[in-house]
């Protein structure tokens, strides 16, 4: 019966659905085909040592080149991919492609970097994440310490034994863990201790208005100190200006990522940048 009424149901929906819901439905349909049609691409953004501008890592950021629509930013489609479950195959593709590319750069003799991949909480829950990571590392022959998984605070706050046990096993495999957008969710400091996280990423919303916003400056300073006390690396996101660089250097934050150094770029461009190894060392020394 459901099959018979499919057509009229569809018509009913298209007539009464608001424009937003319709657009979501169209995005979801587009997403279903995007993988096999090879419409996704990864861009890479350098992570840079603040003291000398050396590139020590990259973050892989997905891009969707949607036919007849152009580039769709991840903020527009990741949540839809999560709700539809498509985040699992898409997330696997991201990890596989990022690791393959990292190994390719290594084989080409470029300076070794750590590749950071965003892991949605939903992907973590629904996918057999241990099996995925294991097979991706085997396939790419990338050493596990060159892969970093960016987790969200919401995942860590779940406190489910299942989540904790999976994270422990990922650590045991030698993969690095970082907490993305640190400070924007429920930061549980207890988990930082239990989890053997390697790195905190200070959210860009705290970086944007330093040094003049004294509250943001205090938060950034506190996270840097927390990192130092717990022996965690701290990286600042959204570093856009020389003033940001100056403030972060003075606060002893050691790693930065942001437009000041480089926007996310396609693999080919990243390879060219990586072959030079350093980004704007002069500007940094002048800071
Ligand atoms: P995120 O993981 O926090 O990534 C950082 C975002 O900040 C990226 O946006 C990046 O382009 C942007 N950004 C970098 N430097 C600067 C800067 O100096 N100033 C400003 N204003 N922005 C900067 P993007 O690429 O649009 O990605 C947005 C979000 O989408 C990401 O935030 C992440 O949560 C999600 N995302 C991206 N790729 C993936 C993916 O492969 N898988 C999953 N699950 N999520 C992804
Ligand atoms: Mg991230
Ligand atoms: Mg972030
Ligand atoms: Mg974000």
């Amino acid at each position: 019966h459901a099959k018979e009424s499919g057509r009229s149901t569809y018509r009913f929906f298209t007539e009464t659905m608001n424009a937003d819901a319709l657009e979501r439905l169209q995005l979801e349909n587009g997403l279903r085909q995007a993988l096999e049609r090879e419409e996704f691409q990864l861009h890479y953004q350098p992570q840079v040592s603040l003291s000398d501008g050396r590139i020590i890592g990259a973050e892989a950021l997905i891009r969707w080149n949607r036919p007849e629509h152009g580039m769709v930013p991840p903020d527009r489609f990741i949540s839809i991919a999560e709700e539809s479950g498509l985040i699992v195959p898409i997330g696997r593709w991201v990890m596989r492609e990022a690791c393959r590319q990292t190994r390719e750069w290594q084989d080409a003799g470029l300076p070794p970097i750590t590749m950071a991949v965003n892991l949605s909480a939903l992907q973590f829950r629904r996918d057999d994440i241990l099996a995925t990571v294991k097979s991706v590392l085997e396939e790419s022959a990338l050493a596990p310490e060159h892969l970093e998984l960016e987790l969200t605070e919401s995942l860590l706050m779940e406190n489910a034994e299942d989540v904790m046990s999976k994270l422990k096993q990922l650590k045991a495999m030698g993969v690095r863990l970082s907490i993305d957008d640190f400070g924007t969710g429920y930061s549980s400091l207890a988990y930082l201790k239990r989890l053997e996280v390697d790195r905190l990423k200070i959210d860009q919303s705290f970086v944007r208005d330093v040094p003049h916003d004294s509250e943001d400056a205090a938060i950034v300073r506190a996270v840097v100190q927390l990192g130092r006390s717990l022996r965690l690396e701290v990286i600042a996101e959204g570093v856009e200006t020389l003033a940001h660089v100056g403030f972060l250097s003075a606060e002893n934050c050691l790693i930065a990522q942001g437009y000041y150094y480089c926007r996310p770029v396609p693999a080919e461009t990243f390879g060219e940048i990586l072959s030079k190894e350093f980004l704007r060392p002069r500007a940094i020394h002048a800071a």
Side-chain angles (χ1 to χ4, degrees):
H1 177 71
K3 234 178 207 167
E4 286 163 27
S5 65
R7 234 165 205 280
S8 57
T9 307
Y10 180 75
R11 196 178 309 128
F12 168 78
F13 270 118
T14 51
E15 279 166 10
T16 58
M17 219 184 256
N18 61 40
D20 270 10
L22 185 59
E23 204 204 321
R24 281 182 75 85
L25 190 65
Q26 286 166 347
L27 274 171
E28 186 182 324
N29 288 337
L31 273 178
R32 280 187 198 288
Q33 300 164 335
L35 261 182
E36 60 193 52
R37 295 188 180 172
E38 300 184 15
E39 292 167 8
F40 291 121
Q41 203 190 344
L42 291 184
H43 281 193
Y44 300 92
Q45 187 177 34
Q47 300 178 332
V48 169
S49 161
L50 264 161
S51 64
D52 58 5
R54 192 165 61 89
I55 300 168
I56 59 170
E59 177 172 7
L61 295 157
I62 194 168
R63 297 292 178 262
W64 179 19
N65 196 351
R66 191 176 174 211
E68 283 148 53
H69 290 83
M71 283 291 179
V72 187
D75 286 336
R76 295 252 336 268
F77 69 83
I78 288 291
S79 63
I80 296 169
E82 289 179 327
E83 283 159 27
S84 58
L86 290 165
I87 193 67
V88 171
I90 293 172
R92 283 184 191 156
W93 177 82
V94 169
M95 201 185 293
R96 191 176 301 127
E97 176 58 15
C99 289
R100 186 202 62 73
Q101 182 63 71
T102 308
R103 177 66 203 224
E104 188 181 301
W105 284 323
Q106 278 182 14
D107 289 344
L110 297 176
I113 55 165
T114 298
M115 179 58 66
V117 172
N118 292 284
L119 207 59
S120 132
L122 235 119
Q123 184 191 351
F124 191 92
R125 261 185 255 119
R126 288 213 195 162
D127 194 7
D128 183 349
I129 197 68
L130 294 167
T132 295
V133 171
K134 197 162 175 279
S135 81
V136 162
L137 289 173
E138 274 168 15
E139 226 174 274
S140 62
L142 187 71
E145 63 268 25
H146 287 290
L147 174 63
E148 179 170 289
L149 302 177
E150 295 196 359
L151 312 166
T152 58
E153 286 172 308
S154 63
L155 176 74
L156 303 179
M157 280 308 291
E158 275 181 24
N159 189 27
E161 269 319 306
D162 175 57
V163 171
M164 293 300 144
S165 137
K166 281 180 176 171
L167 289 171
K168 276 215 175 85
Q169 292 177 72
L170 286 170
K171 274 313 298 171
M173 286 170 63
V175 170
R176 290 167 49 92
L177 302 179
S178 76
I179 305 183
D180 204 354
D181 306 337
F182 185 73
T184 57
Y186 270 111
S187 325
S188 169
L189 305 180
Y191 293 140
L192 287 184
K193 191 174 87 176
R194 271 182 64 191
L195 270 178
E196 298 180 85
V197 161
D198 298 277
R199 176 185 273 187
L200 306 178
K201 298 193 78 175
I202 305 179
D203 190 65
Q204 55 191 51
S205 62
F206 302 120
V207 174
R208 191 172 302 129
D209 295 329
V210 298
H212 59 265
D213 186 307
S214 60
E215 275 144 12
D216 286 337
I219 290 171
V220 170
R221 191 174 294 128
V223 175
V224 171
Q225 284 167 6
L226 177 70
R228 191 179 308 139
S229 309
L230 295 177
R231 292 190 191 81
L232 304 175
E233 284 180 11
V234 174
I235 176 170
E237 287 193 276
V239 176
E240 291 186 352
T241 66
L242 191 58
H244 290 160
V245 170
F247 174 81
L248 293 164
S249 303
E251 294 301 334
N252 260 308
C253 180
L254 303 180
I255 315 167
Q257 176 182 343
Y259 296 168
Y260 174 77
Y261 294 100
C262 188
R263 287 181 178 257
V265 292
E268 199 189 329
T269 312
F270 189 91
E272 285 161 19
I273 293 168
L274 185 57
S275 68
K276 294 178 193 123
E277 205 174 343
F278 293 91
L279 273 166
R280 294 212 206 186
R282 281 224 193 89
I284 290 156
H285 288 313

